[in-house]
Amino acid sequence: MPNRRRGEISAVLDGAPRVLVLTLGALAELEAAFGADDLMALAERFGRGRLSARDAARIIAAGLNGAGADVTVEDVERMRADGGAAGFAHIVADLLAATFGGEEPPSPPVPQRA
């Protein structure tokens, strides 16, 4: 069971429950991937709320690897999440909130009808 106080979250990917956590090593990996000079720059980038699908895949891969998985960004790009793109966005938002502060997970996205 994930411990949110340690920055851990749970998510269902490809129908299987997974734990994600952005460890210090995972954060260093993200700093390098995003060209951020430090954790504050990384947090500011994420705080802008504008992430590409590739950015989301990098964050999720780092979170899975931080929890002990051995996945690549390409592996994550082939995964499925409940809710599709909105589901992935929710996973990223929850993981970033658990990592950078925010005890409660964000509300799940509400599907919009066309």
Side-chain angles (χ1 to χ4, degrees):
M1 175 145 217
N3 182 338
R4 193 159 182 90
R5 290 181 186 247
R6 290 193 308 239
E8 298 171 348
I9 68 158
S10 63
V12 177
L13 295 165
D14 281 343
R18 305 290 295 263
V19 173
L20 293 86
V21 62
L22 291 177
T23 61
L24 195 56
L27 289 167
E29 176 186 324
L30 291 174
E31 282 177 346
F34 291 118
D37 292 330
D38 55 38
L39 280 175
M40 288 304 296
L42 192 63
E44 287 171 8
R45 176 184 168 92
F46 295 154
R48 286 187 221 126
R50 297 187 57 93
L51 298 173
S52 69
R54 182 78 171 179
D55 293 344
R58 281 188 178 122
I59 294 165
I60 291 170
L64 289 167
N65 289 331
D70 185 18
V71 299
T72 64
V73 173
E74 291 76 18
D75 293 333
V76 172
E77 289 173 341
R78 288 187 294 273
M79 291 179 178
R80 293 191 173 110
D82 289 345
F88 281 111
H90 177 71
I91 292 167
V92 170
D94 193 16
L95 182 58
L96 294 176
T99 301
F100 291 105
E103 190 63 29
E104 295 300 316
S107 299
V110 176
Q112 302 294 316
R113 291 191 169 218

